[in-house]
Every structure is written in structure tokens, then in C-alpha cells.
Amino acid sequence: MSNFLPVTEFFRSVYLVDFSPSLCEIAKARFKRLGWKNVKVLCEDARYFRLEEYEGPYDEKIKDAYGGDNAGGADLITMSYALSMIPEFYPVIDSLASLLSHNGIIAVVDFYVQNQNDYRSRNYTGGVIDRHCTWLSRTFWRTWFELDRVNLDGARRDYLEYRFGTKLTVNARNHMWGVRIPYYIWIGCSKDSPSIEEQLAELDAAATESPFLQALDLQAKAGLKRSESFESHSKAYESAIVNLAGNLPLPCFWYQNHHWRIYYDYQLQKHKQFNDEYIYAFTWEDSRVDARILKIQPDDVILALTSAGDNILSFALEKPKRIHAVDLNPAQNHLLELKVAAFQSLGYSDVWKMFGDGKHEQFRSLLIDKLSPHMSSHAFQFWLSHGPNIFGGDGLFYSGGSRHALKLAKWLFLLTGMRVEAKKLAEAQTLNEQKEIWNRSIRRVLLSRLLHSIIVGSEKWLWKALGVPKQQRAMIEKDFVSQGDAEGSSEGHAIWEYAVNTLDPVAHSTLIGEDNHYYLLCLQAKYSRRCHADYLKPSSHVKLSQPNAFDGLRIHTDEINEVIARMSPGTLTIAVVMDSMDWFNPDGSEAETQIRALNKALAPRGRVMLRSAGLKPWYIEKFQELGFHPKCHGSRLPGSCIDR
């Protein structure tokens, strides 16, 4: 501990409690040699240790500083490889719960083995990445440790999680002598709080934009009760009430240091379908166009799809009242959490390495030492599991589903001898120079009809690499046929035409190396200091690293319909749904349901901004029928460049 902070100055008192006389004697000798007089070693049964017997009564100043009846409790309790050695562990864990102050932290590290069937139905574990141990692993390690009277029974960890709230948890393997011993690190807090009901109401209000929240915004003490105006609650609130009724801890999201991430049930198939992988490592939608069209104001309440989080950060730079980021894929929200945590804990150089270069050789240590206090347990587990390989390997932009498109371009340039030309394109100083390079070489590679027929036009590749679902592909093909070229509507031809109408105007109208970071990233898998996303400017770091920069951010892991249906009527001012409506089936009711919900949630004159792969999206008529006035700000027509 002294490697990280000055023990004698940081703590008023430190108590080491152990039942082994010989170990206690060694410890006493060490602290005497170090001169640490505030560290006291007690040879005592942990079941009977009472802090007040040694600290005495606390004066009122200390009680006022900590608050609550348990003001005299411990601020920090640690157990290192001890829980598995204690025969009667239930009373010990109970005593720890009574020792811990309301604001205190408890941390445990130990070995374990467990079957996924033991914890599958729990929503308060903090994530289960790598928690399951195989039958062979469970049998071998349980037997091996029992030879030394160490018990790896899963009930110990289960009871620990039941008695406390989980802040962070990690399941890992200790590689030793060619074998992998399962161990866990768990950080928790008191599962109860004197003001738990008030906290639940505030956090629920923030997720639903309820009248209760509006009362808080106005600092009005006599606001309406929720039930008098709007009955709907967030899923987070409903899960919390169920857990409280069963005397269970709340889901881990309630115990985070920041309440950006809203509770979601990670066990649902709709979340599992993404196999712990995000599709987009960067956001395609042009933030400059968004800013020009939306003109965000300080009192705006925005709902937007998360994607890779870049546009969410661009919105945050405008300092609206609140931002609701929504994505069904948990990994996309994990990526946003990582970016938000980075701004709240890292200097500009580290942020640039991670999200500008896409690589950081010290990612794991940064994640543990700096980022972890600002992340939910689920996001922390995800990045501890995947992050070192991503940021220490090919880089962030060669990860996720979008990596397939970037890697295809890389290999095409390599196989066709165009790597030098691609580099020249990225470094072109003028539009004329860029157009010359594009037309003489790069265009022939990227817009090859054979390439689009075999690879790019295939339904599977479009989904895996670009996140284009079959419904959106059908819209592109329909436009192609309606333009009078039905003969060429074979697989891949419509997509080729779409690519031509997209890429040619970009190459002819925007200078990639200076002002189009979207395509610069595709050419070199990283940004440059001259050309990068808005949120990577040094001035943006100054704004987003402020302690309150993300106070209005709420990250929802759910369908957009589910989120807006629980919003208080007339509270959203802007909804940015990107191209998500292209995913709906024209014969289904999803689009109408979403449009009705948007209309209900939006304030008068509230706006929906969308993009579409279609020239005349079928659902625009639905918007008109249901009370909206549509306005087209740009169409992808041959020769026109509507954004970068």
C-alpha cells in the first residue's frame, strides 16, 4: 500500500487482524522497524473484532464529516487470500458488514472455482466475463487446495456479494508453472444507505426525464411527486425495487462513482447476440453537419445513438442540459464509457495515444490505476479482457466489425502495389493533387466492379464490416432499380453504384489529409495531428476533462423504442437516430411505434434528425402522417458531396 500512498499520513489508524501468532509477530517487527506508529497488529478472531474497542468514541466533527449513524466505521477493509482460509466465514462477513462505514470500501482478492449455473440468475454480480470454471478446473483446484485446508467453495464469494454492493469485480487466471489458477478481485461497498430511496428517485428521474428531475433542475423543494404526473419508471428503478424487496444488493450500476451507465440485463439474448464485440470503432456521421443543422443550446435534452461515442462527445462539447446515449450493443456503450473515463482521468497525451493513434503500450496499467474508478464493472471487465490486445496489438481502429473494411483496404493496397499511392492520397496538399491520385490509381482499386461483385456487395460482408443490415441493402437496391438501371441490379452492382456516388464526391470535394478524418482513418488506421475528430482537439480535452463535463450524460443499453417509451412526455428537444430506421421492415409496425413514441417524448418544436441510405426513405411518409414536418438537408446524388 505504501507504494501508492503515504500510509502514516493518509490513514489515521490501520488495524491488521490475524489469528496466527507467528504471522502477527513478523508483522509487528516490520512496522516497528519502519516506525509506523499508526499501524496496529492484533492477534484476534475476526468474528469478534470491534473497531470501537480500540478507537473509542468518535467526536462530533468526525461524525459530521462522514455522516450517518455508522460514521465511526472503517473507511477501507481488505482481505487478501484470507476468506478461503476461514472455516466459519458467514459470521466473519457479517462482522465486516457492521465494521464498514456507509462511505467505505471493502476489497477482497482470493482464489475460487465456480459453475455458471450458480450465479446465472443474479443481476448484482458486476459482470461474469471469465467467471465460469470448467468441470476439470473446478474438480482439480478444489481438491488441490483442500490438501492445504483452503476451501474454494463458491458460497464464500456468493455471500460476500450478497452482503455488500459490488463496485468492480474481475475474474482472472494466475499463470504459474504452465497452469492457470482461477482467482478474483472484488471491490464493494455498503449495500444500504440512509438516503437510498432519495438516490433511487433521483437516478430514475435522470433516466426518464421525469417531472421530479425538472424540479431538481429548478432547485425547487416542493416539486410534484412522480406518481402525480408520470407513472413510468426506468428499468433500472424497477430492478432496484425488486432487489430491495428481496433484501438483495442493487445491481452494480447503482454503486458506481458516476451514474452515467444505466442498468441493463446483460443476460438477455438481445445483448448477447453481439458476442462481446462492437461493430463500430469510430463514428461515420459527420459531426460538423450535425452542429450546423441542430444548433444545440444549453437547455437542450438530446437523445442519440451511441455508435462509437464520437458524436456523443461532440454534443457534450456544446454543453446541453442532458444527453441520453442509446445502443442495444453493450460493447458500443463500453467504448463510450472508456472515452468518457479517459477524459475524466488522463492527460491529453494519453487520450491522444488511445483514440488518436489507437494504441497505448501502457493501456492495462492505465485502465487499472487511472480509468477504473470512472467505469462501471461491466465496462471495466470488458476492457481488462479485450483492451490490452486491442491497444497493444493492431490498434483500436483495427478492432470491432469495422476492422474488416479497413483491413480489406490495407490488403488491397498491398496486393496491388498501391501502398505508396494511398500514402500520397493521405498527404495530398491540394484538391487537384488529391483528385489526380484518386483517379489514376486508388479509384481503380476501391471501385473495382469485380471486388464489389465478389466481396463488398455480399450481404454477410456488408453486415460484418460496415453494419449494413439486409433491410438497408434492400433500400439501396430499390433506389438503383428505380433510377432505370434494372438490368444491372445483380448482386453487388447497386452497392457499387452507391459507393461511386459516395466516394467520388468525397475525393473531389474534401481534402482528406487536412479536413476529412473519416477517410484519413480508413487510409492509415489512425488520425493525424492536423486531421482528427472534434473531441480530440486539445481545446476539447480542456472542456471534457472538467469534473462536471458529463454530469448530464446517461448511457442506456437498450432498444431506442424502450428508452423513449419511458421518457416523460414533452421533455426531449432533439433525437438523433442516425440510420437506425433503415433497419426496420417496411411491412412491420416498428417504425410507426418509434415515431409515435418520439412524438410523445419530444417537446413542442422538438426535432428528429436522421440519415438514410435511401434517397426517399419509405418511413418519411409515416413521420408526416404522425405529426412531423420533414425537411431534406442533403441527398446522395451523383456528383454531390453532402458531408465528409
Side-chain angles (χ1 to χ4, degrees):
M1 200 175 281
S2 66
N3 290 332
F4 295 91
L5 48 86
V7 172
T8 55
E9 299 168 22
F10 194 85
F11 296 104
R12 188 158 62 93
S13 301
V14 179
Y15 292 90
L16 272 72
V17 182
D18 201 286
F19 209 32
S20 167
S22 58
L23 289 178
C24 287
E25 289 304 316
I26 293 172
K28 287 178 182 178
R30 282 180 171 171
F31 299 130
K32 184 177 181 181
R33 185 176 71 250
L34 291 167
W36 290 0
K37 295 182 180 179
N38 65 326
V39 181
K40 298 144 191 175
V41 180
L42 305 174
C43 187
E44 190 172 329
D45 189 327
R47 290 175 295 183
Y48 309 119
F49 173 73
R50 297 293 180 269
L51 194 58
E52 60 269 19
E53 294 178 8
Y54 299 93
E55 284 292 306
Y58 293 90
D59 59 43
E60 292 303 315
K61 288 184 180 179
I62 295 176
K63 286 188 178 182
D64 290 341
Y66 287 94
D69 298 331
N70 197 26
D75 300 300
L76 173 65
I77 299 174
T78 68
M79 295 182 73
S80 177
Y81 187 36
L83 188 57
S84 59
M85 289 183 158
I86 300 173
E88 291 187 73
F89 62 91
Y90 288 109
V92 172
I93 294 176
D94 286 340
S95 71
L96 296 178
S98 63
L99 280 173
L100 190 66
S101 74
H102 286 307
N103 298 321
I105 294 294
I106 177 170
V108 177
V109 58
D110 215 325
F111 297 108
Y112 83 102
V113 289
Q114 199 161 24
N115 189 318
Q116 62 185 349
N117 294 326
D118 298 340
Y119 53 79
R120 179 174 284 167
S121 61
R122 300 173 197 158
N123 64 2
Y124 55 85
T125 57
V128 296
I129 292 178
D130 293 332
R131 180 157 178 169
H132 174 73
C133 300
T134 64
W135 176 86
L136 183 62
S137 175
R138 296 196 304 272
T139 304
F140 176 79
W141 290 119
R142 188 179 288 121
T143 305
W144 178 272
F145 276 89
E146 281 178 358
L147 296 175
D148 205 25
R149 290 185 294 179
V150 177
N151 195 308
L152 303 192
D153 194 304
R156 295 164 187 265
R157 184 178 181 184
D158 292 343
Y159 192 59
L160 188 71
E161 291 173 330
Y162 164 72
R163 290 294 275 123
F164 297 92
T166 295
K167 292 180 79 71
L168 284 179
T169 183
V170 171
N171 309 293
R173 302 295 183 267
N174 184 358
H175 297 264
M176 187 173 67
W177 303 326
V179 295
R180 302 168 74 245
I181 310 174
Y183 73 97
Y184 68 92
I185 301 168
W186 175 87
I187 300 173
C189 60
S190 173
K191 73 176 180 180
D192 301 313
S193 161
S195 58
I196 187 69
E197 291 185 9
E198 181 181 343
Q199 292 173 6
L200 289 177
E202 286 190 29
L203 293 172
D204 184 39
T208 60
E209 291 296 323
S210 76
F212 181 82
L213 182 62
Q214 295 166 30
L216 290 177
D217 288 338
L218 297 171
Q219 297 182 337
K221 303 251 179 173
L224 291 173
K225 293 182 180 178
R226 297 176 57 87
S227 58
E228 293 176 7
S229 177
F230 183 55
E231 296 290 342
S232 183
H233 294 284
S234 67
K235 290 182 179 179
Y237 183 86
E238 292 171 353
S239 70
I241 295 302
V242 170
N243 283 28
L244 288 174
N247 197 30
L248 296 171
L250 299 178
C252 66
F253 298 96
W254 291 100
Y255 301 110
Q256 308 309 310
N257 292 331
H258 306 283
H259 292 100
W260 303 320
R261 192 72 177 263
I262 304 295
Y263 161 80
Y264 70 98
D265 186 351
Y266 65 90
Q267 302 174 89
L268 298 178
Q269 184 55 39
K270 67 180 182 180
H271 301 310
K272 288 183 174 181
Q273 66 176 313
F274 299 100
N275 297 319
D276 261 351
E277 182 182 53
Y278 44 84
I279 297 174
Y280 310 104
F282 54 97
T283 302
W284 269 109
E285 284 72 16
D286 193 337
S287 59
R288 184 185 297 169
V289 172
D290 287 357
R292 187 182 72 239
I293 295 173
L294 295 174
K295 296 180 176 62
I296 295 169
Q297 301 298 314
D299 60 347
D300 275 324
V301 177
I302 303 171
L303 181 141
L305 296 187
T306 302
S307 186
D310 302 359
N311 283 21
I312 302 297
L313 296 176
S314 294
F315 294 148
L317 289 170
E318 302 296 326
K319 298 183 178 179
K321 186 163 76 172
R322 233 167 330 276
I323 303 172
H324 295 275
V326 185
D327 209 293
L328 185 60
N329 184 344
Q332 295 290 170
N333 283 335
H334 295 336
L335 181 54
L336 174 57
E337 265 202 74
L338 182 70
K339 291 178 178 179
V340 171
F343 278 104
Q344 292 289 283
S345 60
L346 302 179
Y348 179 71
S349 60
D350 285 323
V351 171
W352 175 264
K353 279 186 176 182
M354 288 172 61
F355 306 115
D357 293 332
K359 295 184 179 183
H360 201 304
E361 66 282 358
Q362 300 297 325
F363 175 79
R364 190 175 189 276
S365 60
L366 283 178
L367 179 68
I368 295 169
D369 296 342
K370 299 289 184 67
L371 298 168
S372 61
H374 304 279
M375 303 181 77
S376 68
S377 185
H378 288 69
F380 177 68
Q381 276 194 16
F382 176 88
W383 288 111
L384 190 65
S385 177
H386 301 288
N389 289 333
I390 290 173
F391 289 96
D394 291 338
L396 173 65
F397 304 113
Y398 278 137
S399 68
S402 55
R403 74 183 184 276
H404 298 296
L406 270 66
K407 287 189 173 182
L408 175 63
K410 177 183 176 181
W411 281 106
L412 282 173
F413 294 144
L414 180 65
L415 293 172
T416 57
M418 295 289 181
R419 292 182 68 183
V420 175
E421 287 288 271
K423 189 171 185 292
K424 287 180 180 178
L425 187 70
E427 296 173 352
Q429 298 297 305
T430 66
L431 266 178
N432 285 335
E433 181 186 354
Q434 178 176 287
K435 284 191 284 187
E436 183 183 343
I437 298 168
W438 170 257
N439 290 325
R440 79 176 178 224
S441 57
I442 303 299
R443 189 182 191 279
R444 289 191 290 110
V445 174
L446 293 183
L447 295 180
S448 161
R449 287 181 181 266
L450 180 63
L451 172 69
H452 281 256
S453 296
I454 297 174
I455 299 176
V456 179
S458 71
E459 186 175 305
K460 183 176 181 181
W461 195 88
L462 282 170
W463 168 246
K464 288 286 288 181
L466 302 177
V468 177
K470 61 181 181 180
Q471 295 91 337
Q472 193 172 52
R473 183 172 183 267
M475 293 178 72
I476 295 171
E477 291 179 343
K478 184 178 179 180
D479 283 341
F480 180 67
V481 172
S482 68
Q483 289 174 326
D485 197 0
E487 183 182 345
S489 61
S490 59
E491 185 173 6
H493 199 98
I495 302 299
W496 177 82
E497 190 74 31
Y498 183 94
V500 169
N501 291 339
T502 301
L503 298 180
D504 272 343
V506 165
H508 292 170
S509 306
T510 70
L511 191 55
I512 292 173
E514 292 289 338
D515 193 41
N516 195 326
H517 61 272
Y518 301 97
Y519 285 93
L520 180 68
L521 189 66
C522 295
L523 289 172
Q524 59 184 32
K526 63 178 182 179
Y527 296 118
S528 73
R529 294 284 183 171
R530 295 200 319 271
C531 187
H532 47 256
D534 293 342
Y535 74 91
L536 288 172
K537 295 176 181 177
S539 58
S540 298
H541 184 271
V542 172
K543 293 179 181 179
L544 297 178
S545 61
Q546 296 299 314
N548 61 349
F550 297 104
D551 283 357
L553 175 64
R554 296 296 179 270
I555 305 174
H556 305 258
T557 309
D558 214 335
E559 294 101 332
I560 192 169
N561 280 359
E562 287 285 334
V563 176
I564 56 179
R566 293 170 182 266
M567 292 279 175
S568 290
T571 52
L572 288 179
T573 60
I574 296 173
V576 182
V577 297
M578 295 186 177
D579 64 343
S580 64
M581 300 197 74
D582 282 3
W583 296 40
F584 292 148
N585 188 335
D587 298 324
S589 60
E590 298 95 337
E592 182 172 336
T593 301
Q594 181 165 303
I595 295 167
R596 288 185 184 278
L598 283 168
N599 202 347
K600 183 179 179 182
L602 283 166
R605 309 291 294 176
R607 294 161 290 159
V608 177
M609 181 180 180
L610 60 85
R611 287 174 167 85
S612 175
L615 294 175
K616 294 181 179 179
W618 56 270
Y619 45 78
I620 296 298
E621 290 184 4
K622 294 282 186 184
F623 272 100
Q624 286 180 289
E625 292 171 9
L626 298 171
F628 286 87
H629 172 67
K631 180 181 179 182
C632 180
H633 286 270
S635 289
R636 175 193 49 81
L637 297 170
S640 64
C641 184
I642 58 175
D643 62 22
R644 292 173 293 169

